[in-house]
Each structure stands twice: as C-alpha cells, then as structure tokens.
Amino acid sequence: MEESTADLIRAQLRRLRSAAGLNQEEFGKLVHYSASMVSAVETGTRPYDRPLLARADEVLASGGLLVSLLRIAEREGQPSWFLPWLDAERLARQLRVFQPTLIPALLQTEGYARAVIRCDDLLSDEEVERRVAARLDRQAILAQPDPPQLIAVVDEAVLHRRDERFRALMVHQVEHLIACAERPNVSIHVIPLSVGLHIGLSGPFSLARGADGGWVAIMENQLTASPTDGEADLATLSARWETVRNEALSRQQSVELLKEVVKSWP
C-alpha cells in the first residue's frame, strides 16, 4: 500500500477519535486495545488491520469511513489480507525472511519477479505487470536514507533452477543477490543442500520488528498469507527462525556459494 494511503487512514483515525472527545486510553478500551497500542497505530510504528478499523468505525460512528479507505487501498492493487504486512514491512527496523522455494520478494530482480508471477496463467498481461511494479515498489525501503536491516535465509535448491530458458535470468538474479549482500543493511544466508531435511521446508515466513520493538509475522501458502502478532505464533516462528538461521552458512560463506553458482552455469 502506498504511504500516502496509510497516512490518510491514520490521520482520519486520529481526527475521528479527537472529534469524539476520546483520549487514546478511552478509545483503546472501546476497541480492546491498550493506550500505547492506539498511540503506536496512530503514529505509524505499528500496523493497523481490518478488524481494528471496523471496530473504530462502529465506536466513532464514522459511517464506515475507515473501512472504505481500506477498500480504496485494496483497489490500488493489494488484497486486504496483505495490507497489514505491507504496512509492517514499510515501518520495520529489522526484517527476517525465510524462503525455501523462491528468491525473497525484496531481493528479486524485475525479470525474476515477472517470471514467477507469470507462473499463474490465470493472470492477464496487464495484471502481471501491475504486480511486478508493486513488488519492485516494495523494494524501495532497502534504499531509503534509514533502511531496515534485512536478514534473508534461502535454501540452496532455490538457486539451482536450471531450465535453459531461464539461464540468463537466473545468472542475473544470483548476481543481484551478491550485489545486495554487499549492502551494510542486508545479510543473505544460504542453507546448503548438504543439510537435507529441516523445519523450514514446511513453508516460508517473515518477521518484522517495528520501531517500538514489537514483532509482526506473516506465513504464506498457495492462496493467501496470514499476518499475525499473536504471542504464541510469534514464539513459534521466532524459534523456527533460529533453527533455519543456524542451519545456514555464514554471510561470507553464503556469498562465496552464490559466486560458485554463477560460475557453474555453462
């Protein structure tokens, strides 16, 4: 979601709350949030979600304004279930990403992103290009003046898609990973094929730590993804992160492996 849309939703939330004569603590009690959480949502250090906006519309008698703004954001190109994660990703101070089957979205080249998105043959050419543009837009957070720290763990199998049609594409993608790994705020770690089975093969997930120190996670599957900040879910995914990170090579060893992969292409 574009930053201006997110800021508009937060600005309207603050305006409606103030117009109702409620401070953050009073409003928080009505929507089942703490005052500190209300403050974090309004200032943009924590993401909002549809249930909060729906409760706020009801409590503040706004006529559904906040949810309507969220629908506008959805029409701009992202499904409702993904918007809270995009907000968390944009506000993150640290991102931890694990991918066992693909290059992480924040590290994909345009060509790789297009090839992956085109795998869905139900999408029109126009929709493919819109999704490619949206994916590349997300990557802007890594080049901003105060970027988040990105730690990405990928399985080595991701690097060995050797269909000749994608040779040049994959060489460019792996070279891009090497270049990204040279940035001080980006660490890329590869789980070597020699590890065999590991818990990460159960599926991809990401963790985002906001400016307030709180964490949000997302778990992906074929049809959707599930953002969560539930204590139990975060504990489980944090433990799994430690496991996959410990299975991976060091930063320098991973870069050397990436260079070997590029050289191995005939």
Side-chain angles (χ1 to χ4, degrees):
M1 178 171 45
E2 294 181 3
E3 181 176 357
S4 60
T5 307
D7 289 344
L8 176 61
I9 290 174
R10 291 195 183 89
Q12 291 301 314
L13 177 60
R14 289 193 298 269
R15 182 187 66 79
L16 290 166
R17 177 182 58 76
S18 296
L22 299 171
N23 60 35
Q24 291 176 338
E25 183 175 2
E26 292 166 338
F27 174 69
K29 289 179 180 178
L30 294 174
V31 295
H32 313 301
Y33 267 46
S34 66
S36 61
M37 184 65 76
V38 171
S39 175
V41 169
E42 290 187 351
T43 57
T45 58
R46 293 285 285 178
Y48 52 76
D49 57 19
R50 182 181 292 272
L52 169 63
L53 297 183
R55 289 196 298 270
D57 274 334
E58 182 178 353
V59 167
L60 301 172
S62 66
L65 173 63
L66 298 174
V67 171
S68 294
L69 289 173
L70 184 59
R71 291 197 188 102
I72 292 172
E74 292 166 7
R75 288 198 296 271
E76 289 175 355
Q78 299 294 349
S80 60
W81 50 259
F82 200 45
L83 293 175
W85 173 253
L86 289 181
D87 204 29
E89 185 179 79
R90 183 177 62 82
L91 299 168
R93 301 312 309 140
Q94 184 185 90
L95 290 162
R96 299 176 176 180
V97 179
F98 172 69
Q99 256 293 354
T101 55
L102 295 169
I103 302 297
L106 292 177
L107 298 173
Q108 292 178 5
T109 63
E110 180 177 347
Y112 184 93
R114 182 174 289 107
V116 170
I117 293 169
R118 280 196 186 280
C119 288
D120 186 346
D121 56 12
L122 297 179
L123 300 178
S124 66
D125 289 345
E126 181 180 355
E127 178 63 13
V128 168
E129 293 307 312
R130 188 193 62 74
R131 293 193 183 194
V132 170
R135 186 160 300 182
L136 296 179
D137 284 346
R138 288 170 58 192
Q139 298 177 5
I141 64 171
L142 298 179
Q144 63 191 13
D146 185 22
Q149 179 191 33
L150 171 64
I151 308 170
V153 176
V154 299
D155 198 280
E156 185 181 351
V158 174
L159 309 174
H160 294 290
R161 303 290 184 184
R162 289 186 176 270
D163 188 317
E164 183 59 30
R165 294 173 299 166
F166 301 114
R167 178 186 180 281
L169 182 152
M170 284 303 300
V171 169
H172 184 210
Q173 175 61 76
V174 177
E175 288 175 340
H176 179 66
L177 289 180
I178 295 169
C180 288
E182 294 176 353
R183 299 182 185 182
N185 61 307
V186 178
S187 297
I188 298 173
H189 302 272
V190 180
I191 298 178
L193 293 173
S194 59
V195 169
L197 296 176
H198 57 83
I199 188 63
L201 295 176
S202 299
F205 63 91
S206 300
L207 294 152
R209 179 174 59 79
D212 63 348
W215 289 89
V216 177
I218 190 168
M219 298 165 287
E220 303 174 42
N221 60 45
Q222 283 280 335
L223 296 177
T224 185
S226 303
T228 178
D229 59 1
E231 186 174 340
D233 290 339
L234 290 175
T236 297
L237 291 177
S238 293
R240 293 191 176 187
W241 168 260
E242 293 300 326
T243 299
V244 297
R245 175 63 190 86
N246 288 336
E247 295 283 11
L249 300 174
S250 70
R251 186 175 185 175
Q252 187 57 45
Q253 289 172 324
S254 296
V255 170
E256 292 303 318
L257 188 152
L258 292 171
K259 292 178 179 179
E260 291 175 8
V261 168
V262 171
K263 292 178 182 177
S264 72
W265 283 82

